[in-house]
Amino acid sequence: MMRLQGGGRFPGVLGVPLLTQLRGLSLAETSMSDKAVTAAAVQFLKLLGAVLIVRRALRPYKPLPPNWYRYKLDGEAAGLGISGGVTALCLTLLIAAVTGGAAAQNTGTVKTLLGDGHTSTVAAIAAASIIGAPLLEEFTYRGFLLPSLTRWLPTPAAVFAQAVVFAGSHVSPGDLIPLTALGVCLGTVTVAAEGNLIAPILAHAIYNGAVLYVIVK
């Protein structure tokens, strides 16, 4: 059976043990709902940290070029985002068919967290997967890394290089090829949108939402 590969769907899970200890709880006595909410909080804290670090790093280079960190919601961005998300899904399905359907990243973790069926659990996972991960990863990889690489590499090479870094950051060697393909799709959408990050954020959200739907289903 072919299964979709995930692009940073729920990386906040890795921070659950730390925050539960800070709250004075052991991981064993923490409910699934609390784990999901805590993991979502970690995801958004990572986003805040990335914004602060990148803003500080870029301070000496201001004013930035006009194609850096553009956020404009218009018809073009929406069209590119939707088409990019659908293309990424189709490409992932094709790769799954060729490779025999490798397991999707974090599938077991997400299914475990969804086991209690609480509304807060589902909402936290959806928020981290469909909002938190796209915002964090598009800000970092397509907002910062991609335009930085284009200073030294031709645009196609920069798109591929950031995709490889994006895939490698997920610490899932078995998903390297599909995640690289996802990164190439998102990078291509960003270039087509002339740096408008609304387009890859929307594409990433559509992709993650579809993958989450498959996992839940």
Side-chain angles (χ1 to χ4, degrees):
M1 176 182 177
M2 295 183 297
R3 286 175 286 179
L4 297 174
Q5 309 295 323
R9 292 192 303 276
F10 209 45
V13 166
L14 299 177
V16 172
L18 176 60
L19 281 193
T20 52
Q21 288 178 5
L22 291 176
R23 293 169 59 190
L25 300 173
S26 69
L27 195 59
E29 64 185 6
T30 304
S31 68
M32 290 298 179
S33 179
D34 282 344
K35 289 177 183 177
V37 172
T38 301
V42 171
Q43 179 78 326
F44 286 99
L45 287 173
K46 288 165 64 178
L47 172 61
L48 176 60
V51 171
L52 293 176
I53 291 171
V54 170
R55 286 190 62 181
R56 183 175 181 85
L58 292 178
R59 190 177 300 167
Y61 303 99
K62 289 186 176 181
L64 297 174
N67 63 329
W68 281 62
Y69 290 114
R70 288 181 55 229
Y71 297 93
K72 183 180 180 182
L73 180 58
D74 54 22
E76 181 182 14
L80 286 169
I82 293 171
S83 61
V86 172
T87 300
L89 284 169
C90 293
L91 186 57
T92 303
L93 286 171
L94 177 61
I95 292 173
V98 172
T99 61
Q105 181 194 17
N106 285 343
T107 298
T109 302
V110 174
K111 284 185 175 180
T112 300
L113 290 172
L114 287 169
D116 63 1
H118 287 178
T119 301
S120 59
T121 304
V122 176
I125 292 177
S129 304
I130 302 174
I131 300 175
L135 288 175
L136 171 62
E137 295 182 346
E138 298 317 307
F139 179 87
T140 304
Y141 296 103
R142 265 61 69 178
F144 175 74
L145 183 58
L146 177 56
S148 297
L149 290 172
T150 56
R151 298 181 58 188
W152 297 283
L153 297 173
T155 299
V159 168
F160 181 75
Q162 63 82 31
V164 172
V165 175
F166 166 74
S169 70
H170 288 78
V171 198
S172 183
D175 292 341
L176 185 61
I177 294 176
L179 287 176
T180 298
L182 173 60
V184 169
C185 285
L186 295 172
T188 301
V189 167
T190 305
V191 172
E194 298 181 342
N196 185 357
L197 293 181
I198 292 296
I201 288 172
L202 178 58
H204 201 154
I206 290 172
Y207 181 88
N208 281 8
V211 173
L212 183 61
Y213 172 78
V214 171
I215 294 174
V216 172
K217 186 178 179 181

